Amino acid sequence: MSLKRKDLLSLAPLSVDEIKLILETAESFKEVTGREIKKVPALRGRTVVNLFFEPSTRTRTSFELAAKRLSADVINFSPSSSSVVKGETLLDTARNIEAMQADIIVLRHSSAGAAETLARGVKSSVINAGDGWHEHPTQALLDLFTIRERGMQFDGLRVAIVGDVSHSRVARSNIYALTKLGAEVRLVGPPTMMPAQVEKLGVKVYHDLDTALCGVQVIMMLRIQLERQGRAMFPSIREYARLYGLTSERVKLAEPGAIVMHPGPINRGVEIAPEVADSLSSVILDQVANGVAVRMGILYLMSGAS
């Protein structure tokens, strides 16, 4: 079975079988990342372009490592040193890159829908590495992989996603994927950070963190998206931390053995206490490590391999 799609722009249209295929493919590549020589020739002769219009450390580095471990040629594109500063459009930039025989373009952009616009205008495969408030499909897939790696079944799994849901592309992708796989998703945050009518996506909304954490098996904390908010969504950082910060005491409200996740970067002492981020229940560094294997699987499948 192969992923019969030119692009990976969103998790909303993916079937359960397609999501499982990506996770199973990533599992086979996780073994490669543990070898002494972390390289396979699966994408030899293919070119992957990282087209990042927003700052990124984990995602860009993860895609670069993934492509190189598959033996692909990798180009990291920096808008600040390109013709974009001269007024060149996203589509013209991508078409010029495509003319250089790029097979896969990985796009990170501040505008929602940028990946879809790009995919319609080029023949290369496009992978959405985060577009504005819209989606971040590969982050959600590595989150799923990390949950699965801990031996948890998705059907009936109770997951609390806590924080700035309105501005979080990570939250949106996880909502689509987790609900599709049968999980119970609880969204937690102040009313100002909750999308209108989000319950229509099949989730439960809570404004009290302590209530929401009761009995959950996965706690997924979100970073406060100050750069996307435009205006204050809460009285103060201290007040937010008091009401929605994850402390050791609050972790105890969850199911025994519950795991704590965070897409990063972490604001220690704000959405998550340092002792929780560094605790045995935290799988934050596992998420980072699994990102390489998951993106290897995605690049492999998007290349048309089966």
Side-chain angles (χ1 to χ4, degrees):
M1 184 178 178
S2 62
L3 201 63
K4 292 178 170 45
R5 293 178 180 273
K6 181 178 90 71
D7 312 296
L8 179 61
L9 310 176
S10 164
L11 293 190
L14 261 62
S15 67
V16 170
D17 285 342
E18 286 176 310
I19 292 172
K20 288 180 177 177
L21 172 65
I22 293 170
L23 298 181
E24 287 161 8
T25 306
E27 193 169 356
S28 66
F29 284 119
K30 182 72 187 281
E31 183 269 327
V32 173
T33 65
R35 294 178 189 172
E36 187 176 346
I37 299 175
K38 302 173 177 63
K39 208 159 190 176
V40 291
L43 294 190
R44 184 177 291 162
R46 305 290 181 94
T47 301
V48 176
V49 177
N50 286 329
L51 192 57
F52 277 60
F53 287 82
E54 277 189 324
S56 171
T57 302
R58 281 161 300 279
T59 304
R60 189 190 61 76
T61 305
S62 181
F63 266 112
E64 183 177 358
L65 272 175
K68 286 181 175 178
R69 287 179 181 176
L70 292 168
S71 301
D73 295 318
V74 183
I75 300 170
N76 288 313
F77 178 91
S78 175
S80 62
S81 58
S82 73
S83 295
V84 170
V85 297
K86 301 175 184 175
E88 187 173 70
T89 67
L90 168 64
L91 198 52
D92 283 337
T93 298
R95 282 172 175 163
N96 278 296
I97 290 170
E98 186 178 47
M100 300 173 199
Q101 307 302 310
D103 298 288
I104 299 173
I105 299 173
V106 181
L107 178 70
R108 161 72 64 90
H109 203 280
S110 59
S111 298
E116 187 174 346
T117 299
L118 179 61
R120 286 201 301 261
V122 297
K123 293 177 182 176
S124 305
S125 290
V126 175
I127 298 174
N128 181 7
D131 59 334
W133 304 356
H134 178 225
E135 274 209 61
H136 195 348
T138 64
Q139 176 67 46
L141 288 164
L142 73 88
D143 292 342
L144 295 179
F145 185 89
T146 305
I147 293 168
R148 186 172 180 259
E149 192 176 48
R150 288 297 175 116
M152 296 180 176
Q153 301 296 319
F154 293 112
D155 193 26
L157 185 73
R158 293 181 295 278
V159 182
I161 301 178
V162 185
D164 188 2
V165 178
S166 282
H167 300 93
S168 177
R169 52 195 175 204
V170 173
R172 198 161 282 105
S173 288
N174 268 297
I175 289 166
Y176 289 141
L178 287 165
T179 54
K180 198 168 289 190
L181 292 168
E184 176 192 313
V185 179
R186 304 176 183 181
L187 302 183
V188 196
T192 52
M193 292 182 173
M194 205 59 65
Q197 301 181 326
V198 71
E199 293 93 342
K200 289 183 177 178
L201 295 178
V203 300
K204 297 179 179 179
V205 173
Y206 293 76
H207 300 304
D208 180 74
L209 179 56
D210 293 355
T211 304
L213 291 180
C214 289
V216 301
Q217 294 135 302
V218 177
I219 307 170
M220 191 177 293
M221 304 305 294
L222 302 174
R223 183 175 65 87
I224 298 175
Q225 309 274 322
L226 292 173
E227 73 279 10
R228 295 199 181 104
Q229 289 177 3
R231 60 188 177 88
M233 298 288 181
F234 48 87
S236 68
I237 293 288
R238 180 179 293 180
E239 181 74 358
Y240 181 87
R242 185 179 69 83
L243 293 173
Y244 297 103
L246 187 64
T247 61
S248 297
E249 289 303 309
R250 281 180 162 149
V251 173
K252 292 175 185 175
L253 297 171
E255 191 98 345
I259 60 173
V260 176
M261 311 183 80
H262 195 301
I266 300 169
N267 291 312
R268 288 174 179 261
V270 181
E271 67 258 11
I272 188 167
E275 63 270 19
V276 175
D278 300 327
S279 68
L280 292 175
S281 59
S282 170
V283 295
I284 296 170
L285 292 179
D286 293 335
Q287 289 173 265
V288 176
N290 289 336
V292 177
V294 169
R295 286 165 179 136
M296 286 176 75
I298 290 165
L299 289 170
Y300 177 75
L301 291 168
M302 295 307 297
S303 72
S306 61

